[in-house]
Each structure stands twice: as structure tokens, then as C-alpha cells.
Amino acid sequence: MVASLYRVLLIVGLCVATCCVPPSSSPGGGCLHPSSVKSSPASQVTSGNTDFAFRLYRRLTVQSPGRNVIFSPVSVSTSLAMLSLGARSATKTQVLQSLGFNLSLTPEPAIHQAFQHLIRSLNMSSSNLGLKMGSVLFLREELQLQASFVASVRRLYKSNVFSIDFSDTATAQQRINSYVKKETKGKVVDVIHSLDPLTAMVLVNHIFFKAKWTKPFNPTVTNMSFPFLVGDRAPVHVPMMHQVETFGFGMDPELNCSVLQMHYKGEAVALFVLPAKGKMKQLEWALSASRLRKWSQSLQERWIEVFIPKFSISASYDLETILPKMGIHNAFDKNADFSGITKRHSLHVSKAAHKAVLDISEEGTEAVAATVAKLTVRSKDGSSHHVLYFDRPFLLLVINTATDAILFLGKVENPTQA
């Protein structure tokens, strides 16, 4: 009997919302990497995946020149690692090696156990940090799965598993989109625009992040029409937030860029990286795990007068056109081997969709008095400080300090480009 040819749809739906609200009594200082968790199992995942994140970033910038870039490296990596549980032979090897793992040094069980620890760490509840990542499998009703695959995705990746009728494409599409919308608090909508009736499995990984600055901005001093340089075109005008405070700051003379670190309440920081004019490409091609470590070691707390735009950006990507260029070939063609998922049907990945939303804004009236007081006192002090204008394209990284995982990575090319 000829095996039925079905398709696997890999969806990553995610969002990040950053809110500026009153600080807590706990200090916001500290370095990017806390020493207490450097040897955690989850960090084994992030060390190799950081370079994967930057390689994927470069591919996305080439595909979308002149546009904003925003995606979640940890979400994409987790989705692919979870899918690799059902892959065999070269299909499995390509996925794991592309994620940055040396399979001769790190056995596959250790990789999945490290992802298990990573997911557990990211989902630890915190009143100061809203962070949730999860996975779900929507499976064709008549698909006979390998019991070991279902058990592993549930145990290691905490994935929910649902049966669905893919022959009714409209209903299936609505059900999956509703699930992603709910899990991302309404931020990610319509992640699927079409479904093939031959779809066998849809894998969804979603991540939601909402955090509060430890040192918030004062909304009353935001300049609502500040010029932002966009390439060679006329500048656009954006709301520009402003404050004077102590932040982690460093300069990279090799790459001609400034690095600003701002802490969230909870175990997360944001890195804003501003290249000198005309040096963005040089910066992008030099991004690496070792460069990120170098920055974290050189940051020092300094008085900074900072201007950062208030913005909301989003991006959607068809990763099935990008991942093969990064070494993941077989999963998307006739050579795919997903016999670890089911032996009775031939599967390949037909779609790998990824959508991200990023909001950075200020809110909370309680923040006004404290921040205004600080701004007034600092200016009267007359203390010298560095002035940093993010009034041209810059990079942004949101990092979980408990695991060193890059939660979000992007480039703000035009803050008015939704």
C-alpha cells in the first residue's frame, strides 16, 4: 500500500509587551548574567542557540531589507527541538546541528533534558514578570502516532495534544488561530491564513512576555513628535521617551556602537544597541555569542540621559524558505524522515510560520512623581552624564537572565512601521 503523504505545519506565535510602571524597592542594578545560574542545565541550550539566533537574524534582514525585524529565538529553537523528537536519520541531525549542537559531544537525550529545564525556568511564576512559553500539537484525527513521541513531547516540552479534523480547513484554521490568540493575550492574531486539507500536524509554540521597568519613564516628558532617521528618506516623527538615570552602559570601539542595558523587574533585561551612522551592516555581521559575552563583561553603571522611541512593531515570517538555507534541508522535502511521529504515513514540513509583536511604552501614573523628582534633582546636581539618542535604526535584545536565553531579538528600522 502506498503511504499517504501528509504535511506538518510548524507555527510559532508570540508576543512581547513592555510596560513602564513604578519601580519596586529592590535594586535594578546588576550584570547581564547572574553567577548563580551559570551552570544550570538550561544554559547548555542557550550557549549554542545564541549563534543560531544571530544567524537567523541575518537571514531575516536579507529577506526583509529596510524593514523592522522581530522574532523569538528561544521559541523557534524550542519548536525545532520538539519536532526533532519525531525525526530520524539525516532529518534529525540537520535540525539539531543547525541549532548549534555538536552531537558527538552532547548526546540527544541531554539536549531535550536541557530544553525541559529551560521551559521550566522560563515558566516559573513571578509577580514582577509575566513570562509564559508553551507548545501544543494539533493532530489529524486518523493519524496513528508513535506512543513514545506523544509521551516525550508531553513530558519534556509540556505540550498539549489535541485531535482536529483538517479536512474542514476553515474550522481547523479558526480553532488554531483562536488558541494562539488566547495564549498570547490577544496580541498574535491570524497566524494561519490558509490550511491544506492534507495537513497532518500543526505544532504551535507560543511565548508571552510582559514586564515592568525597574526605572520607568515619565509619560509627561515624552516628546510626541521627535525626528527619527530612516535610511536616506525624510525622517519620521515618533513619540520619544526620555529620562536621566544610572544604567549599564558600554561602547564597542571595534564595531562603533553603544550598548545600553535596562533592567526589568524580575529576571530579564533589555539591551539597546546603537551603531554609529552607516555602521549597521558591520554590526549585524559581527553579532555572535562571544560578542554578546564581551558586551556583558564590559557594561558599567553610569549616569545616562537616554531618549528611546515609544513604539509597537510586528513581523511575520515564512521560515520554510529560510531554514533550508541554514542547513535544515530534509525536513521540508521528499527526503524528510519523521518516522518517529508515525510509521504509517510519510510526513514533511510544508509550512513554518512565525509571527511576533513587540510593544515598548510607558504607563502608570504612580511613576510620574518619582521620575520627575529624579530628573529635577539630577539636572540641578549638574553631574556629567552621557547622552544617548536612539533616533536612528538600532538593535534590541530581550534576555532572560536566569538562563541567558534570548527571548526576543530585533531591529527597529522605522518605529512608525507597524
Side-chain angles (χ1 to χ4, degrees), residues 3 66 129 193 221 258-259 262 264 270 322 330 377 410:
L129 185 67
H193 294 288
V221 300
S258 301
V259 182
M262 294 179 59
Y264 298 107
I322 296 174
N330 289 17
V377 172

Side-chain angles (χ1 to χ4, degrees), residues 9-13 75 79 82 134-138 159-160 176-177 179-180 183 191-192 202-206:
L9 181 61
L10 176 66
I11 300 290
V12 186
S75 189
S79 300
M82 182 174 164
S135 300
V136 62
L137 287 177
F138 291 95
S159 177
N160 292 316
I176 295 169
N177 282 339
Y179 181 90
V180 175
E183 292 297 318
V191 70
I192 297 180
V202 172
L203 187 158
V204 177
N205 179 273
H206 50 84

